[in-house]
Amino acid sequence: MVRLYNLHPFGSQQVVPCQWEPEQFCCGGCDALFVASGCKVEAFAVQGAELCRHRCAFSTLGRVLRMAYSEAGDYLVAIEEKNKAVFLRAYVNWRSKRTENSRVCIRMVGHNVEASLCESLRDQMSIIEMPMSEAPLCISCCPVKGDLLVGCTNKLVLFTLKYVVINEFSVLDFDYSLIIHIDNITPVEISFCVGYVAVMSDLEVLILKLESGPINEERVNHHPQETSNPSKQTEDLNNETSQLESEDFVICLKPMELLGEKSEQSGISVKLESTGLADENVKYSRVQHLLYRRFAPDISFCVLSDNIRLHSLQLLPIHQTGFHPDGNSVSQEKELLSLFCFFSLPHAGYLYMIVKSVELMSVYWYPEKSQQAVLTPQFLHVITSQSLQCFTVRCSAAVAREDLFTDTTLKACPPVSMDVCALRIQLFIGLKAICHFKNHIILLTKADPEAIPERRESPKRLLSRRGASVRSRVPHVAEAGWNLYIVNTTAPVQLYKEMVDYSNSYKTVKTQSCIHLLSEAHLLVRAALMDGSQLEPAEKAELLEAFKESCGHLGDCYSRLDTEQSHLALPYYKMSGLSLAEVLARVDWTRENDSQKYERGLIFYINHSLYENLDEELSEELAARVAQIFHVAEPKQLPHVLTSPSMKNIDPSTALRYLRKLDTCGFSPVLVALTKAAVALKMGDLDMYRNEMESHSEMKLVSGFILEPRLLIQQWKGQIVPTEFASHLKETQPGLLVASVLGLQQNSKIGIEEADSFFKVLCGKEEDTIPQLLVDFWEAQLVACVSNMVFQELLFKLTAQYIWRLSKKQCPDTIPLRSAEDLINACSHYGLIYPWVHVLITSDSLADNNYTEDLLKLQSLMCSPSLDIASIMPLLEPLSEDTVAGLSVHVLCRTRLQEYEECIDTLLERCPEAIIAYANQELKDDHWILWWKKLLPELCQKVKCGGEKHQLYLSLLKEALSVVAVGLDLRDFLNVLPEDGAAAFFLPYLLFCSQKKSVT
């Protein structure tokens, strides 16, 4: 189906001042227009809206049959005929042609360029002759690289464009690089673009992709899978065709469409032959079949029409130059995003996308028989004998699927499957030919309706596979009544505005028609922005503004109209740049009561917008409107909506009225209760607050906060903002607050760093200050057995905080929620404190009870195997060993690092009371030897020295001797006793050791 609108895509027109009737013309680049007539070519400069200036004219070798212009290289190539011989020539540096009689430089491809170039010829036009073994039928220039592809009867010849530097002067030249042998199809038109080749005969289209790679042979053959001998098949078919034709029969092959790998089954053989002359970097060695399509002629009439044939083959590349909906340019380098192929029958055109996937995008049905068509990124222009038609195309919509900045899953784009849109059918008399470049359309008209076709053959010949040469037109005398027009297309923004105005008539009549036309307007602007490098800054800014406006219009459609794609309101509104308040201001509030109907698209957009922390506060009136919308349309979402930061200005009484009307059946009543409690706090009604909080257990309240984290934590301009509810819980129920934030963290509703920031902001602490409530949260995380990736970091943070407080003698700012005993009993990461540590601590009668809990928690962590002691060693520097607390921590660290000898020395010096308990705990197994090699000698030495602690050391020595006597044999025990000791002192232990042996 084709939707027809009566818009105005065509603007002003001007006449090209040609001296002779045009037979061929082409254009391209920034301003080039070439018109060929007979053996003459006129070049015109098309600049601005009203300027078409004659630039130069030059003679050709013969009458021009075909010609093409390449922007890359700025050259014109032509197929010329003279004395029934056909030549191929390229005209280079044509802009230097001052007069028709100016000298030119003629050279041949493959010959030495330097020899044919002299200093005086640098500023002269050069003609490059390209000898061909067969007569060229058609030509195509790559729009990206400028390479030239020439079609002959059974082959295609590729000339690679190159630049030769001679004496610091760059000269354009070609390499005869590749021959593509194609059997069973004779090219009538070809198109070439960055390795993609499209070949068209009267009723067949074949698309190939040339690929580079290692070359094992000079010739790489690619035969179809189902054809073992294509040449034999062709010969048999030709013989059969000849026999049938002689009996006045017509062969009608059935229509066929083969995509991708299946296109190799078309029966067309393709062979690549490398000439070995091209640069190794650009050699093609493989070919991939992409598409084969064959059409059947219309035989519904008794007499076959001679014009039922394909025409207007074209490959159209779409580049990415950094368009971003926000107006930012990422890159100015062109990147090929996609490639499209168009070809047409007299009554229908076909547009395929052929990069990454091969698929038919659009079919264009013409209201009357077409003669020629040209495809642009924005439009398809078609001419008939009496009219110029303009259709929209979906190239930009297809490319949007590959555009990094326009991901269709997040940022919507109208689909390619929409009905084709015809913007206008403009009457013209005697249209003959059309071409297009930039924002200009070139039209050739001739009043005489009779025209000699370029190629005329019998209907029988059209339907066979036998090759047919392209017959040139019979020369005729120039007649009056012809004109060559330059029609300026309307600027995209102007046409966009007209389409938007036109769509207003559909708003209350046809929903889909309104969306369709606005989608076309959106794609029009998007296509114009795809190649942003060609736009002036002011023009680009205007297009970006139109792009955002079109997104707003589409958002309005999907938010107000009942469609299956109503969810698209969200991405379109986001791309429009409209704020939530601006979108709500566009809503038609026709009714003030609860009977107004709100469509799904609007609900979907508002709901998601309120979830995304837009940093936007709605006014009291708009907030009340939003509450009304959800009360009517989505009451289950009302608690979530009311907790959004954007709704902070809503009147609490209004919010409470809607909450009281809620029927909690079907969703969490605890969430409604918490929302009411939050509203009650805002109103200052503490009695209502307590009633709501006491109506559910603490576990239920935690689950309610998990359902809606914004009751406690909100974000505003990227910053964590605790709510009034959270501040109140901090003062009244800190345990519930910590448990709730822990629940949020365990359910991935808040990150670890966000939770830490929340408690710091809530307690009003600086970034480097840790409040006790955050320490409580860390301890709660350890008790909850967090994952292994997190708990080492938690252990480090808690250890650092305990050490910092002990070193600074800093008391917690609030009462800790858990004591050391609670943590030891509840968490395996808090280990039982060693007995010798208790002895060490109780030896200090002056210990400050204010720091006892931090010290016990730190010692408990250090007694646990979970803590990596080496990681906390740098943290111990501020903690002095002068205090018993510091001493115990340092000795614990050295013990965990198995530095037992140093610990023995320290304890004997600082706290000998704990040495036996320490030895009993630590000096076991492999370290038991330290009892008699380290501890026993040290105690003997202390006893000898005497002093105030002589009796203490003496009792410790006796305890050590008792332990050693039990563990050693008599001989070993004698060896460890000091030589200068009193025998009477050691005799009881010796007797015990000997009696132990005799009993054994």
Side-chain angles (χ1 to χ4, degrees), residues 904-905 908 915-916 919 923 928-944 953-965 968 972-978 980 985-986 989:
I904 292 173
D905 292 337
L908 285 174
I915 191 63
I916 298 300
L923 303 183
W928 193 74
I929 193 174
L930 293 177
W931 275 93
W932 64 85
K933 283 201 171 183
K934 176 65 178 177
L935 180 59
L936 195 60
E938 291 291 339
L939 286 173
C940 290
Q941 185 64 31
K942 292 290 184 182
V943 171
K944 288 179 183 180
Y953 288 128
L954 185 61
S955 64
L956 293 175
L957 177 60
K958 292 178 180 180
E959 290 186 46
L961 285 170
S962 299
V963 174
V964 174
L968 292 180
D972 293 333
F973 184 58
L974 285 170
N975 291 333
V976 301
L977 292 177
D980 55 350
F985 179 81
F986 295 105
Y989 303 101

Side-chain angles (χ1 to χ4, degrees), residues 63-65 81 452-455 469-475:
R63 193 167 63 85
V64 177
L65 304 180
E81 182 188 41
I452 302 175
E454 278 193 42
R455 57 191 198 279
S469 62
V470 179
R471 300 183 180 181
S472 59
R473 292 190 296 173
V474 178

Side-chain angles (χ1 to χ4, degrees), residues 866-885:
S866 301
L867 183 64
D868 180 13
I869 294 296
S871 65
I872 68 167
M873 287 299 293
L875 304 177
L876 297 178
E877 293 182 7
L879 191 59
S880 173
E881 293 188 44
D882 295 339
T883 64
V884 173

Side-chain angles (χ1 to χ4, degrees), residues 10 25-27 189 311-316 341-344 349-351 364 366 370-384 388-393 395 433-438 440-443 489:
F10 309 119
F25 60 93
C26 65
C27 50
E189 290 185 29
H311 64 77
S312 304
L313 177 68
Q314 183 179 350
L315 289 176
L316 177 71
C341 181
F342 175 82
F343 49 85
S344 182
Y350 301 86
L351 179 62
Y364 297 88
Y366 312 135
S370 65
Q371 297 182 165
Q372 194 179 351
V374 290
L375 178 70
T376 73
Q378 298 175 352
F379 301 111
L380 173 68
H381 300 289
V382 182
I383 60 169
T384 66
L388 168 63
Q389 302 172 12
C390 177
F391 298 86
T392 58
V393 296
C395 296
I434 182 175
C435 70
H436 171 274
F437 79 111
K438 293 184 72 174
H440 304 292
I441 298 173
I442 316 299
L443 296 174
T489 55

Side-chain angles (χ1 to χ4, degrees), residues 217 283 325 336 390 410 416 433 574 635 849 913:
E217 301 177 1
K283 277 191 175 181
L336 182 66
C390 177
L410 299 176
V416 299
K574 287 177 66 177
N849 293 328
E913 298 91 340

Side-chain angles (χ1 to χ4, degrees), residues 630-813:
F630 282 90
H631 168 68
V632 173
E634 290 284 345
K636 293 182 180 181
Q637 293 295 326
L638 189 57
H640 300 285
V641 168
L642 292 175
T643 56
S644 170
S646 300
M647 297 285 288
K648 65 183 302 183
N649 292 327
I650 190 170
D651 182 28
S653 59
T654 302
L656 190 60
R657 184 175 75 251
Y658 286 125
L659 286 171
R660 284 174 173 169
K661 292 180 180 180
L662 282 180
D663 180 7
T664 58
C665 180
F667 65 102
S668 175
V670 67
L671 178 58
V672 178
L674 287 174
T675 309
K676 289 181 180 178
V679 174
L681 278 180
K682 194 173 182 179
M683 298 173 67
D685 191 341
L686 295 181
D687 291 334
M688 183 192 304
Y689 168 82
R690 280 190 290 269
N691 291 335
E692 295 296 339
M693 295 295 288
E694 292 172 0
S695 63
H696 298 279
S697 65
E698 183 170 310
M699 185 177 296
K700 285 277 188 73
L701 293 176
V702 171
S703 66
F705 286 122
I706 294 174
L707 289 174
E708 184 45 77
R710 293 178 297 178
L711 285 166
L712 297 176
I713 305 172
Q714 296 181 351
Q715 286 194 352
W716 187 256
K717 296 182 179 179
Q719 302 295 323
I720 295 291
V721 179
T723 63
E724 184 181 354
F725 205 157
S727 299
H728 187 76
L729 288 178
K730 170 182 171 291
E731 303 297 334
T732 58
Q733 294 175 279
L736 173 61
L737 176 63
V738 169
S740 300
V741 178
L742 178 62
L744 296 179
Q745 191 262 328
Q746 290 181 322
N747 287 273
S748 302
K749 297 297 183 71
I750 186 174
I752 297 175
E753 294 182 1
E754 289 178 305
D756 290 358
S757 298
F758 165 75
F759 282 109
K760 289 180 181 180
V761 175
L762 179 65
C763 298
K765 301 297 183 181
E766 300 295 333
E767 187 65 27
D768 56 348
T769 304
I770 307 299
Q772 175 59 38
L773 205 57
L774 178 54
V775 176
D776 293 330
F777 176 66
W778 291 342
E779 293 172 349
Q781 284 182 283
L782 276 184
V783 173
C785 297
V786 294
S787 64
N788 292 335
M789 296 181 63
V790 177
F791 90 87
Q792 279 294 345
E793 183 181 353
L794 279 175
L795 290 173
F796 182 83
K797 291 193 291 188
L798 282 169
T799 305
Q801 183 61 22
Y802 296 149
I803 293 173
W804 181 84
R805 285 182 181 174
L806 291 171
S807 64
K808 301 293 184 180
K809 295 184 178 181
Q810 183 76 36
C811 296
D813 55 339

Side-chain angles (χ1 to χ4, degrees), residues 324-326 400 404-414 522 526 547 568 570-572 574-575:
H324 191 285
D326 296 334
L404 296 177
F405 299 106
T406 319
D407 185 354
T408 52
T409 61
L410 299 176
K411 299 176 180 178
C413 182
H522 176 83
R526 183 189 290 274
F547 175 85
L568 294 177
L570 176 64
Y572 278 122
K574 287 177 66 177
M575 289 190 292

